[in-house]
Amino acid sequence: MKKETVLSGIRPTGYLHLGNYFGAMRNYVKMQDTYNCYFFVANWHSLTTHPDTKALQESVYRVIAENVACGLDPDKVALYVQSDVPEIAELYLYLNMLAYKGELEKTTTFKDKAKLQPDNINAGLLTYPVLMAADILIHRAVKVPVGKDQEQHLEMARNFAERFNFRYGHIFPEPHAFNFGDNLIKIMSLDGNGKMSKSENQMATIFLADEDDIIRKKIMKAKTDSGPTVPNSLKPDYIENLFTLMKIVSKAEVYDTFDEDYNQCNIRYGDFKKQLAEDMVAFIQPIREKAAAIQNDKAALHQMMKQGAEKARESANATLQEVRKAIRMIY
Ligand code: ADP
Ligand code: TRP
């Protein structure tokens, strides 16, 4: 049976963190054996909000390196950079003729970002969902592993695909956001305010590039309280989050011991955090070191990116040929 096609993209707008790892990259790695996978770095998209490109190139290298360090195998998946696949830009152009100003202006992410950058409400920002639809449709992907915040973009991609199919003939399948059911995880910020994120409180987010001592410092500063006074009480969300992290990075016995201590009101948060910090260091260290080694080996990186772009362009070209034929753009 033909494998289903999966696609997802990450914008190179900052350092990747534990939230990205558990919410996105770990799922990519799980999917690479079962599906026909395309994963890419959305560097065109980053221009809509980050016009200063001084740090962009290194950021792109880092996203590729960190994905590979986390276990993504460039021989199994197509791992590429958006701007290396010009076919996406041509499809974006055609899809733009099927996207209406009104619906683009109503998009939540557009409204949010327009508020954040009132002096730079550029056309690229407005048509962000069209470019995203082109990313997906160019490989005729059906499963798109993304967070909840991207669901509206997926709905728009389905609308553009449907309009194209209706007007020019059926070429595109319907893409859907893909979640791993129960495994949908949200890593909260260590200060208990919102989620870990690239741009919020940096001291409350653990980055995959953080050095050992920074990791220890961040965890030791994580929000706790004076502890439970009634056995088996419910954990407040900031404590639950630390336990979630422990479940992910520590041995099951270690987790169970601290959980039992909590339930018996014997927990000492100092010891708990020290243990979590050491297990976190042991978890991040090999990823950080592997990613740094890959990032410093530009020849190997370029080879990976070239291989990814070739795979992606082959599939993109096949779709684009059909698209051109359908809209009578071949002479
Ligand atoms: P950020 O908010 O850090 O800029 P993005 O919005 O670029 O992250 O998200 C990239 C991917 O990582 C998305 O699939 C998103 O669902 C996932 N992700 C981001 N932050 C978290 C988090 N704290 N917990 C779980 N998943 C997350
Ligand atoms: N918009 C996505 C985000 O902000 C990134 C992205 C761009 C993407 N193109 C995509 C995700 C195509 C999935 C599929 O996280």
Side-chain angles (χ1 to χ4, degrees):
M1 212 178 83
K2 203 166 162 274
K3 287 181 178 174
E4 279 186 308
T5 299
V6 167
L7 172 137
S8 194
I10 298 188
R11 295 201 312 150
T13 49
Y15 283 78
L16 297 182
H17 51 79
L18 278 186
N20 297 133
Y21 178 79
F22 291 107
M25 286 141 81
R26 190 177 58 159
N27 294 336
Y28 302 172
V29 174
K30 274 200 246 165
M31 297 179 100
Q32 66 184 345
D33 292 309
T34 340
Y35 297 96
N36 176 29
C37 293
Y38 295 87
F39 298 117
F40 73 99
V41 188
N43 57 344
W44 279 334
H45 275 111
S46 69
L47 291 178
T48 64
T49 50
H50 293 62
D52 181 348
T53 54
K54 280 196 274 308
L56 181 61
Q57 196 179 36
E58 213 45 48
S59 244
V60 169
Y61 290 139
R62 196 176 48 244
V63 174
I64 298 266
E66 287 181 332
N67 271 282
V68 174
C70 288
L72 214 60
D73 181 348
D75 289 329
K76 288 185 184 161
V77 307
L79 179 62
Y80 60 98
V81 180
Q82 191 179 32
S83 61
D84 283 340
V85 184
E87 289 80 4
I88 300 168
E90 186 173 332
L91 182 59
Y92 167 57
L93 183 147
Y94 299 135
L95 295 177
N96 265 321
M97 316 303 173
L98 299 167
Y100 302 112
K101 176 169 165 276
E103 64 185 337
L104 295 172
E105 281 171 345
K106 269 195 291 187
T107 315
T108 314
T109 49
F110 173 71
K111 288 195 287 192
D112 290 348
K113 286 179 182 163
K115 253 186 238 150
L116 286 175
Q117 52 185 68
D119 299 327
N120 182 21
I121 307 179
N122 58 77
L125 193 64
L126 182 69
T127 56
Y128 185 110
V130 188
L131 181 55
M132 183 160 160
D135 292 329
I136 299 167
L137 300 177
I138 198 77
H139 301 301
R140 287 176 273 193
V142 290
K143 285 195 164 67
V144 184
V146 282
K148 209 168 166 44
D149 57 326
Q150 299 296 314
E151 268 173 355
Q152 191 180 26
H153 289 159
L154 261 298
E155 189 188 332
M156 295 172 82
R158 285 193 292 277
N159 287 338
F160 304 146
E162 198 180 290
R163 279 178 214 157
F164 185 99
N165 289 344
F166 179 73
R167 186 165 295 174
Y168 301 113
H170 198 285
I171 290 186
F172 300 118
E174 264 191 18
H176 286 273
F178 181 76
N179 298 324
F180 271 96
D182 296 345
N183 293 334
L184 199 66
I185 202 167
K186 182 172 144 195
I187 307 290
M188 277 180 62
S189 173
L190 294 174
D191 58 10
N193 294 320
K195 60 165 205 156
M196 278 195 191
S197 114
K198 293 193 200 104
S199 43
E200 308 281 301
N201 183 357
Q202 309 262 305
M203 276 312 283
T205 291
I206 294 178
F207 295 97
L208 299 181
D210 277 347
E211 296 289 338
D212 296 352
D213 280 345
I214 301 278
I215 297 172
R216 291 191 183 101
K217 207 157 135 194
K218 287 180 176 175
I219 292 190
M220 295 316 286
K221 280 179 68 171
K223 178 173 176 178
T224 52
D225 48 31
S226 52
T229 47
V230 180
N232 301 314
S233 26
L234 209 65
K235 298 183 182 90
D237 55 3
Y238 49 90
I239 298 293
E240 181 73 48
N241 188 47
L242 295 180
F243 271 94
T244 301
L245 294 178
M246 184 172 260
K247 192 165 226 159
I248 294 167
V249 300
S250 305
K251 291 205 179 80
E253 309 92 86
V254 171
Y255 175 92
D256 291 343
T257 306
F258 282 104
D259 194 43
E260 187 56 25
D261 286 349
Y262 182 90
N263 287 332
Q264 301 304 321
C265 305
N266 287 331
I267 189 143
R268 293 162 56 151
Y269 284 131
D271 295 344
F272 171 70
K273 290 203 278 192
K274 249 187 226 147
Q275 177 76 45
L276 178 61
E278 288 319 309
D279 292 339
M280 188 60 77
V281 164
F283 177 81
I284 299 274
Q285 194 184 54
I287 298 181
R288 181 186 68 229
E289 287 174 359
K290 200 167 167 203
I294 298 168
Q295 197 170 344
N296 288 329
D297 186 350
K298 293 288 184 290
L301 257 182
H302 282 131
Q303 179 49 34
M304 264 177 223
M305 287 158 65
K306 187 165 163 256
Q307 180 184 332
E310 276 167 11
K311 276 194 232 173
R313 290 197 69 181
E314 195 183 317
S315 141
N317 227 310
T319 305
L320 199 54
Q321 289 310 323
E322 288 195 34
V323 167
R324 286 183 182 159
K325 226 186 292 165
I327 46 185
R328 298 180 179 80
M329 283 286 160
I330 21 179
Y331 301 99

